[in-house]
Amino acid sequence: MLNYVGQSSISAVSLASNYASVLFMVFYGLGTGATLLCAQYWGKKDLQAIRVIEGIALRFSLAITLVFSGFALLAPELMMKLFTADTELIRIGASYLRVMSLTYLCWSIIEIYLAILRSVGRVTIAMILNIVAFALNIFLNAVFIFGLFGAPRLGAVGVAIATALSRVIELLCCIFVSMALCKDLKLNPAYMFIRNKALLKDFISLSLPALGNDVSWSVAFSMYSVILGHLGTDAVAANSLVVVVRNLGTVLCFGTASAGGILLGNVMGEGNMERAKEYASKLLKLTIITGAIGGVLILIATPFVLCFASLTKTAMYYLKYMLIINSYYVMGAAVNTTLIAGVFRSGDDTRFGLICDTVDMWCYAVPLGFIAAFVLKLPVLIVYFLLCTDEFVKWPWVIKRYRSGKWLKNITRDDLFEQKASEQSL
């Protein structure tokens, strides 16, 4: 929809959205820790432990998000200057970020609660809540971007307002679901004040490496936008549309990783390691299929995107070949995401992903991109192609780790609430 507002609005929102991408990876990392711990305790039918884990995850999520929201509200221009020196993009992006500060806070609660629901098999409820928020967001975007039903035409700010409103409503829906449909697993602020040293230690052991992994990867991935942002607005505009299409291609990969991790966690929580190994093998085969489907979806979407995009001739040229590059890039992302974020994390093997992704992104991809762009001054598409080799470079180490079987672990504890009277029960 922003395509019809102008190239500057597309570029500004795309750059500003890098912060949402980093936050998403924070929630994904914390949610992964909570989900996989809860999945194993669900295998043991220990609801009390699951409630405590929910409270721990909410504490971390809100604390981190308050920092992001504070910067977005008070210093959005400074946040935009990291990605671009274009004054118009900074102005548009700053107005977008101010409104998004509220969105981040709501999002931090929603993602953790939905992760808990998914971990205990209540996937349908989580899916319906996501669909409602998604549909509402699209509708409100149209209202505020195009000025429908008498509303003002707000452009990029309208996108932020629409997102904020949809997140507030989604949070209210989560509270309703918690009170009416999932009374055994409520969205209860009181859970944040329950103390259990053993579960906190396990959560930190599982979640912080996963969080560090996801944040390290997402910040490094945001550096790609920094590199492209200093190669001109045409590169930024083209990449902003590519990101949308690539997300369509990779959504199956993230879904496979999340669902597979929960399933493996349930099985390992029951102590059935042979079955977990068998499921992991099937999951890897499914991953290859979803990666191929994602690549085909991108190729199918390419002519439609090129038909409707309103960019300059140079940006359209970049867009075409960036989409083609991403049609195979999805396969690399599919295998790595499922193994690192799904299979390995299900058995508390989170440190491997942290080391692997940090070395790959910060010692290979980001330096390569900066050298290619600013030292060798290579063409934009060559720089972009080099950046998109990062997923394939780590394949040998990731597949070797999978075959070693070191990720197969039961991480649950017995008698958690019988050790000390101070470790409260509900």
Side-chain angles (χ1 to χ4, degrees):
M1 285 185 249
L2 276 177
N3 173 61
Y4 295 98
V5 178
Q7 184 167 306
S8 293
S9 292
I10 295 175
S11 301
V13 170
S14 175
L15 293 175
S17 293
N18 279 294
Y19 290 103
S21 298
V22 173
L23 259 184
F24 172 75
M25 298 313 295
V26 169
F27 302 147
Y28 190 76
L30 292 174
T32 295
T35 297
L36 298 177
L37 265 178
C38 289
Q40 292 217 9
Y41 279 106
W42 182 248
K44 294 184 70 172
K45 301 303 178 186
D46 191 341
L47 279 173
Q48 196 172 10
I50 293 172
R51 292 167 184 152
V52 175
I53 294 164
E54 178 187 331
I56 294 170
L58 284 171
R59 288 205 302 269
F60 277 95
S61 181
L62 281 168
I64 294 170
T65 305
L66 280 169
V67 176
F68 273 81
S69 293
F71 273 103
L73 182 64
L74 302 174
E77 292 86 0
L78 184 63
M79 294 172 74
M80 286 300 299
K81 285 179 181 177
L82 177 62
F83 293 102
T84 181
D86 189 300
T87 54
E88 184 181 10
L89 298 188
I90 291 173
R91 177 185 60 80
I92 296 171
S95 62
Y96 171 86
L97 283 170
R98 280 195 183 92
V99 180
M100 288 295 290
S101 60
L102 171 64
T103 304
Y104 298 153
L105 288 171
C106 294
W107 198 17
S108 68
I109 300 170
I110 292 166
E111 286 298 318
I112 296 301
Y113 185 59
L114 294 186
I116 299 297
L117 290 182
R118 284 191 287 266
S119 71
V120 298
R122 295 172 189 179
V123 183
T124 303
I125 295 174
M127 180 188 70
I128 291 171
L129 289 172
N130 280 149
I131 289 173
V132 168
F134 178 67
L136 184 61
N137 197 7
I138 291 175
F139 172 73
L140 292 176
N141 266 285
V143 169
F144 292 116
I145 290 175
F146 301 121
L148 304 180
F149 309 110
R153 297 171 66 100
L154 299 175
V157 176
V159 174
I161 292 173
T163 305
L165 287 174
S166 63
R167 288 295 182 192
V168 169
I169 293 171
E170 186 178 14
L171 179 57
L172 293 175
C173 289
C174 285
I175 294 171
F176 171 78
V177 165
S178 165
M179 296 174 65
L181 302 176
C182 300
K183 295 180 181 180
D184 54 342
L185 286 174
K186 292 183 178 180
L187 180 54
N188 191 344
Y191 294 166
M192 291 191 290
F193 301 99
I194 302 171
R195 297 290 183 264
N196 187 292
K197 291 182 180 179
L199 281 176
L200 177 61
K201 180 181 177 182
D202 288 345
F203 182 84
I204 290 173
S205 173
L206 180 60
S207 287
L208 290 194
L211 174 61
N213 181 183
D214 292 336
V215 170
S216 175
W217 181 88
S218 61
V219 172
F221 201 75
S222 295
M223 290 299 103
Y224 294 6
S225 294
V226 172
I227 294 168
L228 295 173
H230 288 84
L231 293 179
T233 57
D234 288 327
V236 174
N239 185 55
S240 65
L241 291 179
V242 168
V243 169
V244 175
V245 180
R246 181 174 61 224
N247 287 344
L248 293 174
T250 57
V251 66
L252 284 173
C253 309
F254 277 97
T256 302
S258 297
I262 292 169
L263 179 61
L264 290 172
N266 290 158
V267 174
M268 283 189 278
E270 295 170 357
N272 195 335
M273 297 302 163
E274 285 302 315
R275 192 178 175 196
K277 196 171 182 179
E278 178 188 344
Y279 281 5
S281 176
K282 292 179 179 179
L283 187 62
L284 181 57
K285 293 173 183 176
L286 180 61
T287 295
I288 295 171
I289 295 171
T290 58
I293 292 172
V296 171
L297 286 175
I298 291 175
L299 288 176
I300 292 173
T302 296
F304 295 98
V305 175
L306 295 174
C307 180
F308 290 103
S310 299
L311 306 179
T312 64
K313 185 177 180 180
T314 301
M316 292 291 285
Y317 174 76
Y318 292 158
L319 176 60
K320 176 182 177 181
Y321 288 100
M322 284 179 175
L323 287 170
I324 292 173
I325 289 170
N326 274 275
S327 66
Y328 72 81
Y329 181 74
V330 171
M331 179 61 75
V335 173
N336 290 325
T337 300
T338 299
L339 291 180
I340 293 176
V343 174
F344 297 168
R345 290 184 184 181
S346 66
D348 194 23
D349 190 11
T350 53
R351 290 177 179 81
F352 172 80
L354 172 61
I355 295 169
C356 181
D357 278 335
T358 300
V359 171
D360 175 56
M361 297 298 281
W362 291 103
C363 298
Y364 170 75
V366 172
L368 178 64
F370 273 99
I371 292 170
F374 306 121
V375 178
L376 301 178
K377 300 187 183 301
L378 297 177
V380 169
L381 289 176
I382 299 296
V383 173
Y384 189 80
F385 171 79
L386 292 173
L387 290 172
C388 288
T389 59
D390 63 293
E391 293 288 354
F392 297 97
V393 168
K394 58 190 177 187
W395 261 16
W397 290 272
V398 172
I399 294 172
K400 181 180 178 182
R401 185 70 173 189
Y402 164 73
R403 289 176 175 171
S404 73
K406 293 179 180 179
W407 48 271
L408 283 162
K409 296 177 190 174
N410 183 335
I411 56 176
T412 60
R413 296 175 184 263
D414 295 317
D415 303 324
L416 276 169
F417 302 100
E418 298 177 7
Q419 297 170 10
K420 294 181 180 180
S422 60
E423 293 178 359
Q424 303 172 27
S425 66
L426 297 177

